[in-house]
Amino acid sequence: MRKNIVAGNWKMNLNFEEGVSLFSEIVNMVKDEVIGDQEVVVCAPFIHLSTLGKLAATAANVHIGAQNVHQAEAGAYTGEVSAAQVKSVGVNYVILGHSERRAYFGETDALLADKTNAVLKQGLRPIFCIGETKEERESNNFFAVIKTQLEGGVFHLSATEFAEVVLAYEPVWAIGTGLTASPEQAQEVHAFIRETVAAKYGAEIADQTTILYGGSANPSNASTLFAQPDIDGGLIGGASLKSRDFLEIVKVFNK
Ligand code: PEP
């Protein structure tokens, strides 16, 4: 069966000390309270990753992720960080294609395809985000938008490469807004994503693909969202900054 994953995206929040303290709380709570085989991922700012990597090494099902990397392997790219560099401090996952990076940093599908290649080349797993804006939902254009994002960002991969990709459906209108897609709205898109993956890579790979939901998920709505057949976990922004809220979301998968 495909893996259930709950990933936190801290974005540009928390100083170093605050980040280490929150992560330590999460690691301890996971050790004490998580009884399923769900995977927990914390995507922290670059400056935290080295220390969090050492803490994560003590916890079997807690991993760390980066929120971005540069597409080149190394070189004269002042201010950038490579996939090999984040790998060297224990990172296993990298968020790519987050709507904030698409909107504020002009990241295109073509650039994201290059970043996906860079991440996979290091043996890391991309958490590849796709999702429509409010206007695209209101104009009923969202299936086409999502298909284009998949085709442009990850469908150039071989089946073996694609098997390492985690997808995250994040309707842009639900991110950080307190508006959540209803379980039915989210399930409809997740089923469409899985069908689209099946059409490209076959039913077996589609069935194994973890597809996360992201967009104002919290301890109150996570159970109904994660109960949907094609929702395999969450990418959690705001609620991942509070250890208790994050853990309650993780524990939805306790079996
Ligand atoms: C996100 O930024 O990936 C996200 C889902 O944020 P939030 O949970 O705050 O909506």
Side-chain angles (χ1 to χ4, degrees):
M1 260 317 275
R2 53 185 176 261
K3 255 237 153 316
N4 292 128
I5 299 174
V6 178
N9 175 11
W10 287 359
K11 310 193 184 188
M12 198 174 70
N13 292 301
L14 307 176
N15 67 26
F16 179 72
E17 201 183 318
E18 290 163 343
V20 172
S21 155
L22 174 59
F23 191 75
S24 304
E25 278 172 36
I26 291 169
V27 166
N28 288 331
M29 285 174 162
V30 168
K31 276 184 188 155
D32 292 346
E33 300 177 39
V34 169
I35 53 171
D37 60 0
Q38 66 271 51
E39 212 159 282
V40 178
V41 182
V42 172
C43 301
F46 289 127
I47 61 150
H48 297 81
L49 292 174
S50 171
T51 298
L52 302 197
K54 293 188 182 86
L55 295 170
T58 67
N61 44 359
V62 183
H63 298 271
I64 56 167
Q67 300 170 17
N68 176 40
V69 287
H70 192 269
Q71 63 275 24
E73 271 187 56
Y77 300 99
T78 302
E80 293 294 320
V81 176
S82 73
Q85 288 174 320
V86 298
K87 183 188 179 173
S88 73
V89 295
V91 160
N92 296 116
Y93 289 87
V94 181
I95 297 176
L96 291 178
H98 192 282
S99 61
E100 287 152 16
R101 294 213 60 88
R102 291 178 190 262
Y104 307 148
F105 302 98
E107 295 201 354
T108 60
D109 290 337
L111 173 69
L112 293 168
D114 289 343
K115 290 193 176 199
T116 302
N117 294 341
V119 165
L120 289 170
K121 192 164 179 202
Q122 294 303 323
L124 307 179
R125 302 192 71 187
I127 300 176
F128 192 85
C129 304
I130 51 186
E132 81 283 0
T133 62
K134 186 166 176 279
E135 294 69 36
E136 288 160 347
R137 171 142 296 256
E138 284 169 356
S139 62
N140 255 328
N141 200 25
F142 50 101
F143 289 132
V145 167
I146 286 160
K147 189 159 186 252
T148 302
Q149 290 171 337
L150 286 169
E151 285 170 349
V154 289
F155 277 5
H156 63 287
L157 300 172
S158 69
T160 315
E161 290 167 334
F162 183 81
E164 295 304 314
V165 175
V166 174
L167 295 174
Y169 169 55
E170 297 213 303
V172 180
W173 48 273
I175 295 180
T177 57
L179 293 173
T180 317
S182 68
E184 294 74 23
Q185 282 174 320
Q187 168 57 25
E188 181 186 37
V189 177
H190 279 238
F192 170 77
I193 293 168
R194 204 176 300 286
E195 280 160 28
T196 308
V197 170
K200 170 78 184 167
Y201 293 108
E204 200 177 319
I205 287 189
D207 202 44
Q208 292 298 320
T209 303
T210 296
I211 309 177
L212 310 180
Y213 167 80
S216 301
N218 60 45
S220 321
N221 59 29
S223 332
T224 45
L225 284 161
F226 297 173
Q228 301 302 310
D230 288 295
I231 302 183
D232 310 313
L235 182 54
I236 316 296
S240 73
L241 295 168
K242 294 189 190 127
S243 55
R244 181 40 57 199
D245 285 0
F246 186 58
L247 248 287
E248 289 310 315
I249 298 171
V250 170
K251 282 167 64 182
V252 169
F253 290 111
N254 270 359
K255 295 200 179 81

Short mmCIF file of all heavy atoms in Angstrom, two decimals, residues 186-219:
data_model
loop_
_atom_site.label_atom_id
_atom_site.label_comp_id
_atom_site.label_asym_id
_atom_site.label_seq_id
_atom_site.Cartn_x
_atom_site.Cartn_y
_atom_site.Cartn_z
N ALA A 186 -11.89 18.07 -2.37
CA ALA A 186 -10.51 17.57 -2.38
C ALA A 186 -10.46 16.18 -3.00
O ALA A 186 -9.63 15.90 -3.87
CB ALA A 186 -9.95 17.56 -0.96
N GLN A 187 -11.38 15.30 -2.59
CA GLN A 187 -11.39 13.93 -3.12
C GLN A 187 -11.56 13.94 -4.64
O GLN A 187 -10.92 13.17 -5.36
CB GLN A 187 -12.49 13.11 -2.43
CG GLN A 187 -12.81 11.77 -3.08
CD GLN A 187 -11.63 10.81 -3.23
OE1 GLN A 187 -10.65 10.88 -2.48
NE2 GLN A 187 -11.69 9.92 -4.22
N GLU A 188 -12.43 14.82 -5.13
CA GLU A 188 -12.68 14.87 -6.58
C GLU A 188 -11.37 15.15 -7.33
O GLU A 188 -11.05 14.50 -8.33
CB GLU A 188 -13.70 15.98 -6.87
CG GLU A 188 -14.06 16.12 -8.33
CD GLU A 188 -14.96 17.33 -8.62
OE1 GLU A 188 -14.78 18.39 -7.98
OE2 GLU A 188 -15.82 17.19 -9.50
N VAL A 189 -10.58 16.10 -6.80
CA VAL A 189 -9.33 16.44 -7.49
C VAL A 189 -8.29 15.34 -7.27
O VAL A 189 -7.57 14.97 -8.20
CB VAL A 189 -8.79 17.82 -7.02
CG1 VAL A 189 -7.46 18.11 -7.68
CG2 VAL A 189 -9.80 18.91 -7.34
N HIS A 190 -8.21 14.79 -6.07
CA HIS A 190 -7.23 13.71 -5.83
C HIS A 190 -7.51 12.52 -6.74
O HIS A 190 -6.59 11.92 -7.28
CB HIS A 190 -7.27 13.27 -4.36
CG HIS A 190 -6.51 14.18 -3.44
ND1 HIS A 190 -5.47 13.75 -2.64
CD2 HIS A 190 -6.61 15.51 -3.24
CE1 HIS A 190 -4.98 14.79 -1.97
NE2 HIS A 190 -5.66 15.86 -2.31
N ALA A 191 -8.79 12.19 -6.92
CA ALA A 191 -9.13 11.06 -7.81
C ALA A 191 -8.72 11.40 -9.24
O ALA A 191 -8.18 10.55 -9.96
CB ALA A 191 -10.63 10.77 -7.73
N PHE A 192 -8.93 12.66 -9.62
CA PHE A 192 -8.52 13.08 -10.98
C PHE A 192 -7.00 12.98 -11.14
O PHE A 192 -6.49 12.51 -12.16
CB PHE A 192 -8.99 14.53 -11.22
CG PHE A 192 -8.42 15.12 -12.47
CD1 PHE A 192 -8.93 14.78 -13.73
CD2 PHE A 192 -7.35 16.01 -12.42
CE1 PHE A 192 -8.38 15.31 -14.89
CE2 PHE A 192 -6.80 16.54 -13.58
CZ PHE A 192 -7.31 16.18 -14.82
N ILE A 193 -6.27 13.40 -10.11
CA ILE A 193 -4.80 13.32 -10.18
C ILE A 193 -4.37 11.86 -10.33
O ILE A 193 -3.53 11.52 -11.15
CB ILE A 193 -4.17 13.96 -8.92
CG1 ILE A 193 -4.42 15.47 -8.90
CG2 ILE A 193 -2.66 13.66 -8.85
CD1 ILE A 193 -4.09 16.15 -7.58
N ARG A 194 -4.98 10.99 -9.53
CA ARG A 194 -4.59 9.58 -9.60
C ARG A 194 -4.92 8.98 -10.98
O ARG A 194 -4.13 8.24 -11.55
CB ARG A 194 -5.24 8.76 -8.47
CG ARG A 194 -4.44 7.51 -8.14
CD ARG A 194 -4.99 6.73 -6.95
NE ARG A 194 -5.05 7.45 -5.71
CZ ARG A 194 -4.00 7.75 -4.94
NH1 ARG A 194 -2.79 7.40 -5.29
NH2 ARG A 194 -4.16 8.42 -3.80
N GLU A 195 -6.08 9.36 -11.53
CA GLU A 195 -6.44 8.88 -12.88
C GLU A 195 -5.44 9.39 -13.92
O GLU A 195 -5.07 8.68 -14.85
CB GLU A 195 -7.82 9.42 -13.29
CG GLU A 195 -8.98 8.66 -12.72
CD GLU A 195 -10.26 9.51 -12.76
OE1 GLU A 195 -10.39 10.39 -13.64
OE2 GLU A 195 -11.10 9.29 -11.88
N THR A 196 -5.04 10.65 -13.75
CA THR A 196 -4.10 11.25 -14.71
C THR A 196 -2.74 10.55 -14.62
O THR A 196 -2.09 10.29 -15.64
CB THR A 196 -3.97 12.77 -14.43
OG1 THR A 196 -5.29 13.32 -14.38
CG2 THR A 196 -3.17 13.48 -15.50
N VAL A 197 -2.33 10.23 -13.41
CA VAL A 197 -1.07 9.49 -13.22
C VAL A 197 -1.20 8.08 -13.82
O VAL A 197 -0.30 7.58 -14.48
CB VAL A 197 -0.69 9.43 -11.72
CG1 VAL A 197 0.47 8.46 -11.48
CG2 VAL A 197 -0.34 10.82 -11.19
N ALA A 198 -2.37 7.46 -13.62
CA ALA A 198 -2.59 6.11 -14.16
C ALA A 198 -2.53 6.11 -15.68
O ALA A 198 -1.96 5.20 -16.29
CB ALA A 198 -3.93 5.56 -13.68
N ALA A 199 -3.10 7.15 -16.28
CA ALA A 199 -3.10 7.22 -17.75
C ALA A 199 -1.67 7.35 -18.28
O ALA A 199 -1.35 6.86 -19.36
CB ALA A 199 -3.95 8.40 -18.21
N LYS A 200 -0.80 7.98 -17.50
CA LYS A 200 0.58 8.18 -17.94
C LYS A 200 1.48 7.00 -17.56
O LYS A 200 2.29 6.54 -18.36
CB LYS A 200 1.09 9.49 -17.31
CG LYS A 200 2.57 9.76 -17.45
CD LYS A 200 2.92 10.26 -18.84
CE LYS A 200 4.43 10.42 -18.98
NZ LYS A 200 4.83 10.60 -20.36
N TYR A 201 1.37 6.53 -16.33
CA TYR A 201 2.34 5.54 -15.82
C TYR A 201 1.73 4.17 -15.51
O TYR A 201 2.44 3.25 -15.10
CB TYR A 201 3.02 6.07 -14.55
CG TYR A 201 3.91 7.26 -14.81
CD1 TYR A 201 3.55 8.54 -14.38
CD2 TYR A 201 5.13 7.11 -15.49
CE1 TYR A 201 4.37 9.64 -14.63
CE2 TYR A 201 5.95 8.20 -15.73
CZ TYR A 201 5.57 9.45 -15.30
OH TYR A 201 6.37 10.53 -15.55
N GLY A 202 0.40 4.06 -15.63
CA GLY A 202 -0.24 2.78 -15.34
C GLY A 202 -0.84 2.74 -13.94
O GLY A 202 -0.44 3.52 -13.05
N ALA A 203 -1.79 1.82 -13.77
CA ALA A 203 -2.59 1.77 -12.53
C ALA A 203 -1.74 1.43 -11.31
O ALA A 203 -1.97 1.93 -10.21
CB ALA A 203 -3.70 0.76 -12.69
N GLU A 204 -0.73 0.57 -11.51
CA GLU A 204 0.05 0.13 -10.34
C GLU A 204 0.82 1.30 -9.72
O GLU A 204 0.79 1.50 -8.50
CB GLU A 204 1.01 -0.97 -10.77
CG GLU A 204 1.48 -1.80 -9.62
CD GLU A 204 2.37 -2.94 -10.08
OE1 GLU A 204 2.08 -3.57 -11.11
OE2 GLU A 204 3.39 -3.17 -9.41
N ILE A 205 1.48 2.08 -10.57
CA ILE A 205 2.23 3.23 -10.04
C ILE A 205 1.26 4.27 -9.47
O ILE A 205 1.50 4.83 -8.39
CB ILE A 205 3.13 3.82 -11.15
CG1 ILE A 205 4.29 2.86 -11.36
CG2 ILE A 205 3.62 5.23 -10.79
CD1 ILE A 205 5.39 3.35 -12.23
N ALA A 206 0.14 4.48 -10.14
CA ALA A 206 -0.84 5.47 -9.63
C ALA A 206 -1.32 5.05 -8.24
O ALA A 206 -1.47 5.88 -7.34
CB ALA A 206 -2.01 5.58 -10.59
N ASP A 207 -1.52 3.77 -8.06
CA ASP A 207 -2.01 3.25 -6.80
C ASP A 207 -0.98 3.42 -5.67
O ASP A 207 -1.33 3.56 -4.50
CB ASP A 207 -2.36 1.77 -7.00
CG ASP A 207 -3.33 1.31 -5.97
OD1 ASP A 207 -4.29 2.05 -5.71
OD2 ASP A 207 -3.11 0.21 -5.40
N GLN A 208 0.28 3.41 -6.05
CA GLN A 208 1.37 3.54 -5.06
C GLN A 208 1.72 5.01 -4.77
O GLN A 208 2.53 5.28 -3.89
CB GLN A 208 2.64 2.85 -5.58
CG GLN A 208 2.53 1.33 -5.67
CD GLN A 208 2.31 0.69 -4.31
OE1 GLN A 208 2.88 1.11 -3.31
NE2 GLN A 208 1.43 -0.29 -4.27
N THR A 209 1.17 5.93 -5.55
CA THR A 209 1.57 7.34 -5.40
C THR A 209 0.88 7.99 -4.21
O THR A 209 -0.36 7.96 -4.11
CB THR A 209 1.21 8.13 -6.69
OG1 THR A 209 1.86 7.50 -7.80
CG2 THR A 209 1.67 9.58 -6.59
N THR A 210 1.67 8.56 -3.33
CA THR A 210 1.11 9.29 -2.19
C THR A 210 0.70 10.68 -2.66
O THR A 210 1.51 11.42 -3.23
CB THR A 210 2.17 9.40 -1.07
OG1 THR A 210 2.47 8.08 -0.60
CG2 THR A 210 1.67 10.25 0.10
N ILE A 211 -0.57 11.01 -2.42
CA ILE A 211 -1.07 12.34 -2.81
C ILE A 211 -1.58 13.03 -1.54
O ILE A 211 -2.55 12.59 -0.91
CB ILE A 211 -2.22 12.25 -3.85
CG1 ILE A 211 -1.80 11.35 -5.04
CG2 ILE A 211 -2.58 13.65 -4.35
CD1 ILE A 211 -2.91 11.14 -6.08
N LEU A 212 -0.89 14.11 -1.18
CA LEU A 212 -1.22 14.86 0.04
C LEU A 212 -2.21 15.97 -0.29
O LEU A 212 -2.21 16.51 -1.41
CB LEU A 212 0.05 15.48 0.64
CG LEU A 212 1.25 14.55 0.84
CD1 LEU A 212 2.42 15.33 1.44
CD2 LEU A 212 0.85 13.39 1.74
N TYR A 213 -3.00 16.35 0.71
CA TYR A 213 -3.83 17.55 0.59
C TYR A 213 -3.19 18.66 1.42
O TYR A 213 -2.73 18.43 2.55
CB TYR A 213 -5.27 17.30 1.11
CG TYR A 213 -5.99 18.61 1.26
CD1 TYR A 213 -6.54 19.24 0.14
CD2 TYR A 213 -6.04 19.27 2.49
CE1 TYR A 213 -7.13 20.49 0.26
CE2 TYR A 213 -6.63 20.52 2.61
CZ TYR A 213 -7.17 21.12 1.49
OH TYR A 213 -7.73 22.38 1.60
N GLY A 214 -3.19 19.87 0.88
CA GLY A 214 -2.70 21.03 1.65
C GLY A 214 -3.61 22.22 1.44
O GLY A 214 -4.07 22.48 0.32
N GLY A 215 -3.86 22.94 2.52
CA GLY A 215 -4.71 24.13 2.44
C GLY A 215 -5.56 24.24 3.69
O GLY A 215 -6.64 23.65 3.76
N SER A 216 -5.01 24.95 4.70
CA SER A 216 -5.73 25.20 5.95
C SER A 216 -6.22 23.91 6.62
O SER A 216 -7.28 23.89 7.24
CB SER A 216 -6.90 26.18 5.74
OG SER A 216 -6.41 27.41 5.24
N ALA A 217 -5.43 22.85 6.49
CA ALA A 217 -5.76 21.63 7.24
C ALA A 217 -5.42 21.87 8.71
O ALA A 217 -4.45 22.58 9.03
CB ALA A 217 -4.98 20.44 6.70
N ASN A 218 -6.23 21.31 9.58
CA ASN A 218 -6.02 21.52 11.03
C ASN A 218 -6.56 20.31 11.78
O ASN A 218 -7.14 19.40 11.16
CB ASN A 218 -6.68 22.84 11.48
CG ASN A 218 -8.17 22.84 11.23
OD1 ASN A 218 -8.87 21.86 11.52
ND2 ASN A 218 -8.69 23.93 10.67
N PRO A 219 -6.39 20.27 13.11
CA PRO A 219 -6.83 19.07 13.83
C PRO A 219 -8.34 18.82 13.71
O PRO A 219 -8.78 17.68 13.85
CB PRO A 219 -6.45 19.36 15.29
CG PRO A 219 -5.36 20.37 15.19
CD PRO A 219 -5.65 21.21 13.98
#
